[in-house]
Amino acid sequence: MIFIETLKQIHQEINDVKISTVEELELFRLTFLSKNGKIAKLLDEFKLMPKEVKREAGKPLNEVKKLAEEVFKANEGVVKNNQNTQKDIDLTRQASTIALGSTHPITLVRQEIESIFERIGFTISKGPEIEDDWHNFSALNFPEEHPARDMQDTFFIEKSPDWALRTHTSSIQVRVLDKQKPPIRTLAPGRVFRNEAISSRAHCIFHQIEGIYIDKNVSFADMKQTLLYFAKEFFGENAKIRLRPSYFPFTEPSAEMDVYWGLNSEADYRITKGTGWLEVMGCGMIDPAVLESSNIDPKEYSGYAFGMGIERIAMNKFQITDLRMFFENDLRFLNQFISEV
Ligand code: PHE
């Protein structure tokens, strides 16, 4: 039967086809699969065939059609790949390197501190950099006209004395206390601003991390133990800390925490001002007046707070002797931290 013979022949033709370029693929499509292609013609012929032939030829016809479609699909992928590896491309050439940025040392230290406190249940809170007097000072028990406000020279927003750039992350304490109910355990990192002369030890912009913990029966001993845990995790198992009495309007009693740094080299003398100790944070028991101004009953709840300077800790960790380096974006400085990522 001629029709069956033709089918066999086309089947063979399809099997024999070799396709390696886009043009060959298109030729295949035109020859077999297009409207005027061989398979379309077979289908037209098939329609006119008598019943007996149809019964016999239906299956092989379908198979030929399927085969043509499969061959087309399979070669489509191959041809695409071939296109990507054209012969004039030098496959032995080295790939050009993609310049990777580095994580800024301040970010590295912040992330490490956050993870140390997250392990003991602290969450992360945020607050705005432009603050009103209430959140930055008044709610934190800084009386109006009180000289304590001069402890932190403030950048006020022009013509609007009620608004200023926050001088510390303690302003976030107030925001958290207003929104959450104890128990509260949170860390508040952020950028702070003070109108200070820029030097190797001070800058008008720097970063702090505030920590607060409020619950029933929270004591000074809890704070000391938590800070010791932090010091050991961050500075190493042998880290030693000491607390010196200090003053902050929003904590009572207040303290400053030092970490032992050592006094072996001349640089140690310079960094620790000859004491061997490095001051890393202010801390204390949250003043009852602060709790009250956020409607937390100080008879039922107590808590501690601490605030540390990230630059201070980063200088210490990476032996950086000039604070200004953090803000200059000098690539020779930043590239040193690529491996730390
Ligand atoms: N906010 C204080 C500062 O910037 C630090 C501090 C925070 C002290 C929390 C006690 C409690 O100096």
Side-chain angles (χ1 to χ4, degrees):
M1 202 194 301
I2 297 179
F3 187 72
I4 299 279
E5 283 307 310
T6 321
L7 266 182
K8 275 189 189 155
Q9 207 183 314
I10 294 180
H11 196 282
Q12 192 59 40
E13 265 177 55
I14 294 173
N15 265 337
D16 288 347
V17 141
K18 286 209 170 57
I19 299 171
S20 51
T21 64
V22 187
E23 292 76 21
E24 283 166 357
L25 183 72
E26 180 59 5
L27 186 66
F28 178 85
R29 192 188 66 80
L30 286 173
T31 315
F32 297 102
L33 292 167
S34 67
K35 257 195 225 155
N36 301 317
K38 293 191 176 180
I39 290 169
K41 265 194 199 136
L42 285 173
L43 284 167
D44 287 343
E45 275 177 45
F46 181 76
K47 276 181 208 150
L48 306 173
M49 294 281 166
K51 259 195 188 142
E52 316 85 67
V53 181
K54 270 190 183 162
R55 215 175 291 136
E56 203 179 327
K59 208 173 158 213
L61 173 59
N62 235 346
E63 275 168 11
V64 168
K65 188 172 168 245
K66 247 202 209 144
L67 179 70
E69 284 164 358
E70 274 167 20
V71 168
F72 180 81
K73 255 214 191 116
N75 281 293
E76 207 179 15
V78 176
V79 165
K80 265 194 197 140
N81 270 345
N82 285 352
Q83 256 186 322
N84 293 340
T85 52
Q86 280 170 7
K87 290 180 197 70
D88 53 351
I89 291 179
D90 177 3
L91 294 174
T92 62
R93 205 182 116 179
Q94 273 200 336
S96 47
T97 50
I98 300 165
L100 278 184
S102 55
T103 304
H104 195 280
I106 294 298
T107 309
L108 286 170
V109 169
R110 173 175 56 75
Q111 288 170 340
E112 188 174 340
I113 297 170
E114 285 174 359
S115 87
I116 289 172
F117 281 97
E118 274 169 344
R119 268 178 261 154
I120 53 169
F122 280 72
T123 59
I124 307 288
S125 303
K126 298 237 161 98
E129 292 180 346
I130 298 176
E131 266 298 7
D132 53 13
D133 180 273
W134 171 255
H135 290 94
N136 198 78
F137 292 121
S138 298
L140 288 164
N141 206 28
F142 282 85
E144 219 146 299
E145 310 294 338
H146 192 279
R149 293 191 181 214
D150 295 340
M151 279 165 73
Q152 303 175 352
D153 289 324
T154 311
F155 284 116
F156 287 97
I157 306 289
E158 217 178 326
K159 299 199 191 87
S160 178
D162 195 39
W163 290 91
L165 299 181
R166 68 177 172 206
T167 58
H168 53 181
T169 43
S170 300
S171 57
I172 309 174
Q173 274 191 41
V174 181
R175 293 185 175 273
V176 171
L177 263 53
D178 281 346
K179 269 196 247 115
Q180 296 178 26
K181 293 212 153 36
I184 296 171
R185 227 180 320 181
T186 197
L187 223 52
R191 207 152 50 141
V192 300
F193 308 84
R194 289 187 200 173
N195 193 358
E196 273 177 29
I198 297 171
S199 73
S200 64
R201 293 176 58 90
H203 208 289
C204 58
I205 302 174
F206 56 101
H207 298 78
Q208 288 188 325
I209 295 193
E210 193 85 4
I212 47 173
Y213 183 21
I214 301 170
D215 203 347
K216 287 179 181 152
N217 303 318
V218 176
S219 70
F220 197 87
D222 292 331
M223 178 180 85
K224 193 171 173 188
Q225 209 52 37
T226 306
L227 296 179
L228 179 62
Y229 154 80
F230 161 70
K232 283 179 185 263
E233 290 292 307
F234 193 89
F235 296 103
E237 191 44 40
N238 297 325
K240 275 192 288 182
I241 63 165
R242 72 175 185 189
L243 293 175
R244 284 177 290 106
S246 185
Y247 171 75
F248 300 101
F250 38 94
T251 47
E252 179 60 34
S254 305
E256 232 137 340
M257 186 179 107
D258 299 338
V259 171
Y260 192 67
W261 171 258
L263 256 190
N264 300 317
S265 68
E266 205 187 306
D268 293 346
Y269 268 88
R270 190 159 31 86
I271 293 167
T272 67
K273 292 187 193 155
T275 63
W277 293 88
L278 197 80
E279 181 194 319
V280 291
M281 69 176 92
C283 57
M285 300 305 291
I286 299 174
D287 196 291
V290 174
L291 295 176
E292 254 164 17
S293 78
S294 293
N295 294 321
I296 293 175
D297 184 0
K299 285 191 208 83
E300 197 179 351
Y301 292 104
S302 57
Y304 60 75
F306 54 86
M308 55 182 113
I310 304 183
E311 280 78 1
R312 176 64 60 88
I313 290 173
M315 284 172 89
N316 170 2
K317 182 171 175 90
F318 298 120
Q319 306 280 315
I320 295 162
T321 49
D322 192 326
L323 186 95
R324 288 168 288 201
M325 296 302 290
F326 290 122
F327 302 97
E328 281 165 5
N329 284 335
D330 183 332
L331 285 179
R332 290 167 301 176
F333 172 71
L334 296 177
N335 283 341
Q336 297 177 87
F337 300 95
I338 287 179
S339 59
E340 303 280 343
V341 182

